[in-house]
Amino acid sequence: MNLTIPSSLFRASIRGFIFSLLFLCLDTLASGQITGGNLSGGVMNNTNLFLRDSSIGADNTPQYDKQLIGSETWLNLTYNTNTVEAGMRFDLFQNSNLLDPQSSFSDAGIGRWYVKYHYNKLQVSGGYLYDQIGSGIIFRAYEDRTQLIDNALYGVRAQYEMAPDWTIKAFSGKQKHLFDHYKTDIRGANIEGFLNFDSLGGLSLAPGIGFVNTTYDNKTMNDVVDVLTSYRPDERVIPQYNSYITSLYNNLSFGPLTWYAEWAHRSANVLYDPFAKRTLISGDQIEGRIVKRAGDVLYSSLSYAIHGFGISVDYKRTTNFEYRAHPLLPGNEGFIGFIPPMGRINTYRLTARYSPATQYIGEQAVQVDARYKLNRRWSFNINASNITNQNNDLLYRELYTEFTYKKRRKWQILGGVQFMDYNFAIYRGKPGYENVKSIVPYTEVLYKFSRSKSLRVEAQYMFTRQDEGQWAYTLFEVGLAPHWLFEASLMYNVVSFAPKAQLNETLQHHLEEKGRVLYPTLGAVYTHGSNRFSLRYVKQVAGVVCSGGICRYEPAFSGVRFNLTSTF
Amino acid sequence: MKNKNLNTRFLIVLVLLLGACKEKPVIIPDFSVPKGDRNVLIEEFTGVRCVNCPNGAKIIEEMVAEFGDRVVPISIHHGFFAKPLKQSKSDLNCHCGYGDAVTETLGKGPIGYPAAVINRQKLGSKLFPNKDEWKSIVLNALKQPAPVNIFLKVSGDASNSQWTLDVNLAASEPLDDLFITAVLLESDIIDAQILPDNSLDENYNFQHVVRMPITDAAGESLPALASGEVKEMKGFKTFALQPEWDYKHCSIAVFVHHKSTGTEVLQAASIHLEN
């Protein structure tokens, strides 16, 4: 007898339960039966008006062709007392391109609900939970709305304070996927604590050990077996239902020195290696195959700060550490752990144009960041990173320099140069393409006319001979505190100043296909209390958008963007 | 001391117990072509600018080699990746609306290329599964019983390029909401294609390229069929080839599908013009 509950019915019953619970809480609160309770929440809305512009490739999606308007809305409500916390979130997607930038997604429902109970040293929670172990390498359930990542654990968690500064935690559940969940079981536990050694000059340690076990369901295993059946016998591997992942981590503090180190190991099981060769019966070889390997991550972050000077050195080595709720999920779907990115998180438009996505099959990275504050006015920053793969091929190299000069409270100038080498073939999945090498000088000036009026100007230029050639960017932002902010920016694809005949084939082809294109943006932001409204007319070039090392391709955008963020 | 000994023994037992937890090995069955009369339609979205599409094409040709006529592939050159290269001799995008009709029927288009939809159904993990899943999905689809069988006959005159397609349908169960689509394909087209290593092959061999739909691109309605009923459609369609198409390399893919109650392809078949 099949006892599967249709997901629509399941969602409807959960919706009913949550609204009932919320109503009960509100009613009880209103009638004064529970005192000290606090109701809070927030709402976030993005609405886009799509205006077709074939010259920049903003076309051929359902939104540009017929729907015209797409939006996403998240509404949070949280109720908490001394011992109980309950929350829910209503998600609404209408013709949204957030899930798939080249398609349209519409759905609505309870995106999250949870209940948490805290009594003495014990805390138990159930529902859709966000949490992580250590830095998140072996387990991280989190939300990132810019890329519609929401892999909350749908399950239960218990946390107990065994001793002062020592906690043990255990959880079990399944990973959320939109308004449903993947069927793979995920269980985990960790112990972490804090040790203080005053007699050793204030040395402190925060050690931890974590453990995760995942178990594929029958459907997932059948999907994997079906694919393996079609492989040649010598290329088949034997998948296992269970994977075991462990991590040991510690944070050491000693005066100005801080050192975080984590080592994680994953037992051998199947994963999809997009670079592994597969032989067809014809003898031809193609790339991409299911393999079976164990995996490791070693991550360390050492920092030292004293008297206006700070330096940090980060190191990461990753080997076959991809594990998901289903081995055949594409892109950024279904990751159970999160491996920290190693490239600098750049914020300026052109310095952030080429960002290194985390590589799960093989990566070795070093990053050094040094900051020096000379005096009240002058400060300097230099950052260098180098990322290679398991074959020691260069994936990414960056040298970033920055100076800041502040003149009292009147104006501030910031500037520097970025030097970058980016493996376009690996990161963009386009074998044979040469690396993008660029030099980007940039500057930002902030001038305060008065306490309430300010002007901020940015200017950047990218020198490069690869991909789409050279770019120029400028931004003007006028602030009228406390409420208003007006901005205008221009991004121009210069390509090159050299005659067309002198350009390499890539740039010649780009000039013929697209030409030199201008991408303007005009907008206003209004802030009042905890409410923020923004309205922008935007023309944006196609590119890869990254958030925390997780990257995806986004096509060009042309239209109007409205955004509302409010908390209460 | 006693507690320490007990703790040590407990840990040893725990380690031994965990070490004894071994899974029963999963068995990977041997590959074999399922017996039956069900054929499977594969509609592949591709393009000359798509560097990874040749890999998808190799997987399809492997299936054609292993499954023979039981697989009916259609290559749809569509969208940005199908824009002709400077070195292209012709435009392989038929601009006949077939690609749009497929994405409209499915309600969405593929995210990246190569992409293929099998029997116009969400099989495996998604509507456009990973290319590594194509063969396993086709294998499972081949095991399904065929609710209807398609018999094709084509006759024509190569000298004046006029052709006639006859179609007979034999239902093995009651069927309604029936539609039929027929598409003219051409293979062995030599033209330029960007390869996975970003080099250009100006003599790449394209197979099963859509030249034109012979029926309406979205399909044409059929009356309901009773179980055991045979519907003869002599002279179902007449059509003409463009002068630049070589009839010796042309074939017709015909498939019967639902439309209002779903998108499932119930049966597919193909026939070469030269036969």
Side-chain angles (χ1 to χ4, degrees):
Chain A
M1 185 163 116
N2 188 350
L3 293 176
T4 305
I5 302 171
S7 82
S8 57
L9 177 60
F10 178 76
R11 280 156 51 183
S13 57
I14 287 296
R15 217 177 292 157
F17 164 73
I18 294 302
F19 280 121
S20 303
L21 182 66
L22 192 61
F23 176 76
L24 179 65
C25 288
L26 289 172
D27 182 58
T28 308
L29 178 64
S31 66
Q33 289 181 27
I34 297 177
T35 56
N38 195 21
L39 185 67
S40 61
V43 63
M44 180 173 170
N45 169 266
N46 301 322
T47 300
N48 296 320
L49 170 66
F50 293 82
L51 302 173
R52 175 197 285 261
D53 185 348
S54 304
S55 68
I56 64 171
D59 57 2
N60 280 330
T61 70
Q63 291 88 352
Y64 287 113
D65 290 348
K66 49 194 174 187
Q67 291 165 350
L68 303 185
I69 296 178
S71 72
E72 307 92 31
T73 308
W74 297 268
L75 169 63
N76 288 304
L77 287 173
T78 308
Y79 178 74
N80 61 71
T81 67
N82 288 342
T83 53
V84 172
E85 182 181 324
M88 60 159 269
R89 190 185 73 216
F90 181 75
D91 298 354
L92 172 66
F93 301 94
Q94 294 173 303
N95 303 331
S96 169
N97 67 343
L98 203 54
L99 177 67
D100 171 7
Q102 299 187 66
S103 185
S104 178
F105 171 61
S106 293
D107 207 345
I110 301 298
R112 184 192 182 205
W113 65 266
Y114 70 95
V115 180
K116 205 186 284 186
Y117 176 71
H118 198 141
Y119 181 73
N120 280 345
K121 297 179 183 178
L122 177 68
Q123 186 192 96
V124 292
S125 17
Y128 291 93
L129 310 172
Y130 297 120
D131 202 349
Q132 68 185 60
I133 294 176
S135 65
I137 290 173
I138 69 168
F139 175 77
R140 185 176 184 215
Y142 71 108
E143 184 192 21
D144 183 340
R145 291 179 187 173
T146 60
Q147 300 209 17
L148 204 58
I149 293 173
D150 185 357
N151 62 352
L153 183 79
Y154 179 59
V156 292
R157 177 185 59 204
Q159 186 171 306
Y160 181 71
E161 191 182 323
M162 304 186 304
D165 297 328
W166 285 91
T167 55
I168 182 169
K169 175 171 66 184
F171 55 83
S172 178
K174 296 179 193 292
Q175 190 182 89
K176 178 178 186 285
H177 174 61
L178 298 175
F179 294 103
D180 203 340
H181 51 79
Y182 296 113
K183 302 296 181 278
T184 294
D185 290 325
I186 303 171
R187 298 166 209 93
N190 84 311
I191 298 174
E192 55 187 34
F194 183 79
L195 298 163
N196 206 356
F197 302 94
D198 287 329
S199 59
L200 295 176
L203 172 71
S204 69
L205 299 174
I209 179 169
F211 178 75
V212 171
N213 160 236
T214 63
T215 307
Y216 291 138
D217 60 293
N218 285 333
K219 170 77 173 54
T220 300
M221 182 56 76
N222 288 341
D223 288 344
V224 173
V225 168
D226 284 346
V227 172
L228 290 170
T229 301
S230 65
Y231 286 6
R232 284 166 40 136
D234 59 328
E235 289 181 347
R236 290 179 193 164
V237 292
I238 306 297
Q240 295 198 222
Y241 275 88
N242 286 285
S243 295
Y244 304 95
I245 309 96
T246 321
S247 84
L248 295 168
Y249 53 95
N250 181 55
N251 196 48
L252 179 151
S253 291
F254 184 62
L257 188 76
T258 306
W259 182 30
Y260 179 84
E262 182 167 354
W263 170 78
H265 177 77
R266 173 182 161 273
S267 64
N269 208 343
V270 291
L271 59 97
Y272 184 80
D273 183 349
F275 306 110
K277 298 279 187 207
R278 183 180 144 206
T279 311
L280 304 177
I281 57 163
S282 58
D284 286 330
Q285 283 203 318
I286 59 173
E287 284 196 331
R289 179 163 67 95
I290 293 177
V291 297
K292 184 178 180 181
R293 299 179 191 142
D296 289 275
V297 175
L298 180 63
Y299 174 68
S300 168
S301 178
L302 179 68
S303 58
Y304 179 85
I306 190 165
H307 300 314
F309 173 74
I311 185 167
S312 67
V313 180
D314 295 349
Y315 173 78
K316 180 180 70 172
R317 191 198 71 215
T318 306
T319 312
N320 299 315
F321 212 84
E322 167 167 325
Y323 74 110
R324 308 180 188 230
H326 188 306
L328 295 171
L329 286 173
N332 300 322
E333 292 182 35
F335 281 116
I336 297 172
F338 172 83
I339 299 180
M342 286 301 272
R344 185 182 189 277
I345 310 291
N346 292 311
T347 53
Y348 293 109
R349 183 67 66 86
L350 295 185
T351 58
R353 183 154 168 76
Y354 299 99
S355 294
T358 301
Q359 300 296 300
Y360 293 87
I361 301 297
E363 189 178 54
Q364 182 157 259
V366 175
Q367 182 179 189
V368 179
D369 189 279
R371 293 172 187 271
Y372 179 59
K373 190 172 179 180
L374 181 65
N375 50 39
R376 264 193 206 175
R377 293 187 184 177
W378 289 96
S379 59
F380 304 91
N381 173 222
I382 185 164
N383 180 295
S385 55
N386 190 84
I387 305 175
T388 57
N389 66 7
Q390 66 275 28
N391 300 322
N392 216 28
D393 301 318
L394 179 69
L395 295 180
Y396 185 79
R397 183 175 289 156
E398 181 188 11
L399 176 64
Y400 185 93
T401 64
E402 184 179 283
F403 75 87
T404 307
Y405 177 76
K406 293 181 186 177
K407 176 80 172 174
R408 293 186 189 151
R409 290 178 188 177
K410 202 68 175 165
W411 56 278
Q412 171 180 303
I413 181 167
L414 181 156
V417 183
Q418 179 206 47
F419 303 86
M420 187 208 64
D421 191 335
Y422 174 90
N423 191 319
F424 198 90
I426 297 282
Y427 286 126
R428 300 293 175 95
K430 295 187 176 178
Y433 275 66
E434 63 175 309
N435 285 12
V436 174
K437 295 179 170 60
S438 70
I439 299 173
V440 181
Y442 65 93
T443 186
E444 176 187 323
V445 178
L446 171 66
Y447 185 79
K448 292 183 182 174
F449 296 98
S450 66
R451 273 194 175 183
S452 59
K453 292 191 184 118
S454 65
L455 170 68
R456 190 171 74 89
V457 178
E458 280 181 30
Q460 304 146 39
Y461 195 90
M462 174 178 278
F463 294 94
T464 182
R465 291 196 186 112
Q466 291 84 34
D467 194 21
E468 294 179 325
Q470 300 178 22
W471 289 87
Y473 177 83
T474 186
L475 165 82
F476 292 84
E477 187 182 273
V478 174
L480 302 173
H483 298 301
W484 289 98
L485 196 71
F486 298 95
E487 64 176 57
S489 71
L490 284 172
M491 188 162 161
Y492 183 53
N493 189 197
V494 178
V495 186
S496 177
F497 287 115
K500 189 176 164 187
Q502 290 179 15
L503 300 180
N504 59 41
E505 199 179 317
T506 304
L507 294 185
Q508 278 192 20
H509 176 73
H510 179 69
L511 262 180
E512 282 163 19
E513 294 282 314
K514 268 188 162 178
R516 296 184 170 93
V517 184
L518 188 64
Y519 298 86
T521 298
L522 200 62
V525 178
Y526 177 75
T527 308
H528 185 83
S530 60
N531 306 305
R532 185 180 184 277
F533 305 86
S534 76
L535 187 68
R536 286 188 174 89
Y537 168 77
V538 177
K539 273 204 198 291
Q540 184 175 293
V541 62
V544 172
V545 172
C546 296
S547 175
I550 310 288
C551 303
R552 71 172 191 185
Y553 173 78
E554 288 202 0
F557 177 81
S558 166
V560 178
R561 285 193 160 136
F562 171 77
N563 170 263
L564 156 69
T565 311
S566 177
T567 55
F568 51 86
Chain B
M1 184 60 138
K2 191 177 176 183
N3 278 342
K4 200 173 173 183
N5 284 340
L6 277 174
N7 286 343
T8 307
R9 285 174 196 164
F10 172 74
L11 277 173
I12 291 170
V13 168
L14 186 63
V15 167
L16 286 173
L17 278 173
L18 288 174
C21 291
K22 272 193 173 176
E23 282 178 36
K24 199 171 159 185
V26 172
I27 295 172
I28 311 292
D30 288 331
F31 173 82
S32 62
V33 181
K35 290 189 172 50
D37 53 5
R38 182 71 177 264
N39 300 336
V40 175
L41 179 75
I42 309 170
E43 290 170 292
E44 177 211 9
F45 285 81
T46 186
V48 297
R49 293 168 181 265
C50 164
V51 300
N52 293 315
C53 286
N55 284 337
K58 284 179 187 173
I59 293 175
I60 289 179
E61 292 317 306
E62 184 183 54
M63 287 193 276
V64 168
E66 287 180 307
F67 303 136
D69 291 341
R70 298 193 62 196
V71 154
V72 179
I74 294 179
S75 288
I76 308 169
H77 286 247
H78 181 259
F80 169 78
F81 289 111
K83 213 166 161 184
L85 300 162
K86 203 165 56 172
Q87 298 87 347
S88 294
K89 298 186 191 92
S90 65
D91 186 353
L92 296 180
N93 184 339
C94 67
H95 298 286
C96 55
Y98 185 73
D100 289 337
V102 175
T103 56
E104 186 116 4
T105 300
L106 297 171
K108 67 180 288 184
I111 297 174
Y113 284 16
V117 59
I118 294 157
N119 274 356
R120 293 195 178 177
Q121 275 198 294
K122 184 178 177 181
L123 302 167
S125 50
K126 43 204 161 300
L127 187 60
F128 294 97
N130 185 314
K131 69 180 191 304
D132 289 74
E133 294 183 88
W134 293 355
K135 196 166 167 184
S136 60
I137 291 169
V138 167
L139 260 176
N140 283 327
L142 287 172
K143 294 173 188 169
Q144 307 305 313
V148 61
N149 276 313
I150 304 172
F151 302 93
L152 303 174
K153 186 180 166 193
V154 66
S155 53
D157 186 344
S159 59
N160 65 5
S161 288
Q162 293 295 319
W163 301 87
T164 302
L165 175 67
D166 301 334
V167 178
N168 285 358
L169 302 177
S172 55
E173 59 186 69
L175 296 168
D176 59 9
D177 181 39
L178 279 184
F179 282 75
I180 185 168
T181 304
V183 188
L184 181 76
L185 311 172
E186 187 177 2
S187 293
D188 296 320
I189 301 171
I190 306 298
D191 211 329
Q193 165 75 48
I194 298 180
L195 298 180
D197 63 1
N198 199 38
S199 64
L200 177 73
D201 183 356
E202 296 197 39
N203 297 303
Y204 185 85
N205 191 327
F206 292 91
Q207 303 288 319
H208 331 288
V209 175
V210 172
R211 284 309 198 185
M212 69 175 185
I214 296 173
T215 59
D216 188 279
E220 293 179 6
S221 177
L222 290 171
L225 294 175
S227 176
E229 182 179 347
V230 176
K231 181 164 180 64
E232 293 184 9
M233 295 184 285
K234 195 167 170 59
F236 172 61
K237 288 289 173 188
T238 56
F239 57 94
L241 266 57
Q242 297 287 325
E244 59 271 22
W245 301 343
D246 186 347
Y247 82 96
K248 290 178 192 165
H249 299 151
C250 285
S251 59
I252 303 171
V254 179
F255 53 97
V256 174
H257 54 101
H258 289 315
K259 200 165 183 185
S260 309
T261 57
T263 59
E264 184 190 359
V265 171
L266 303 171
Q267 183 63 289
S270 67
I271 188 167
H272 291 277
L273 260 54
E274 196 172 21
N275 290 341

